[in-house]
Amino acid sequence: MIVVNGLGAGPTATYTPAMGLNFGSATVGSTTTSQQVTFTNTSTIPLSISSVSFTGGGAGFNVLASSQCLMVPTVAAMGSCTFDVTSTPNATGTLTDTVYVNTTPVNVATPVLVPLTVIGLTPPTPTMTVAFAPASVNTGVNS
């Protein structure tokens, strides 16, 4: 989930897609293609993104440093920017997480939640084929 964190009844922000990001299934240890979350400042004053952090502790989600919101962290009034998110599952099963996006001024009215989900799949078991070749072949014929 992505949470816009703040207090009071000042500026507001929203995220799309409202249903969140679902990365489907991915093998444990492999990285998914990125998906975008759009952060929209619906207020009449600029908001600066002061930090982005995950609270799930190991679900394997990552906000790419090249995300537009991190490259230009001030979002104009009524403006928007994007976060690029990937997942690298580190366990099997359904994994979820929450991203906290802190803004300055710290008075975004209500947290906005966008769930992040991926299903971690067991990596394939490595197989090894061993073939032995004889050093010589006895055909029973003397030359």
Side-chain angles (χ1 to χ4, degrees):
M1 296 183 178
I2 294 180
V3 177
V4 179
N5 193 20
L7 306 169
T12 59
T14 60
Y15 280 93
T16 52
M19 298 303 294
L21 299 180
N22 186 332
F23 291 88
S25 300
T27 302
V28 171
S30 66
T31 301
T32 64
T33 57
S34 66
Q35 294 187 32
Q36 283 192 335
V37 174
T38 300
F39 174 92
T40 302
N41 176 3
T42 58
S43 74
T44 58
I45 65 171
L47 291 177
S48 293
I49 296 170
S50 55
S51 67
V52 178
S53 60
F54 288 91
T55 63
F61 294 99
N62 181 44
V63 173
L64 300 180
S66 60
S67 295
Q68 182 186 29
C69 289
L70 299 179
M71 301 296 285
V72 182
T74 299
V75 184
M78 305 308 288
S80 63
C81 63
T82 57
F83 287 103
D84 299 304
V85 182
T86 62
S87 177
T88 306
N90 61 0
T92 58
T94 300
L95 306 173
T96 61
D97 208 341
T98 302
V99 177
Y100 279 89
V101 178
N102 294 304
T103 61
T104 305
V106 186
N107 56 351
V108 173
T110 307
V112 178
L113 306 177
V114 178
L116 305 174
T117 305
V118 67
I119 298 172
L121 301 176
T122 303
T125 304
T127 59
M128 180 173 34
T129 303
V130 178
F132 293 97
S136 64
V137 176
N138 184 354
T139 61
V141 177
N142 293 329
S143 41

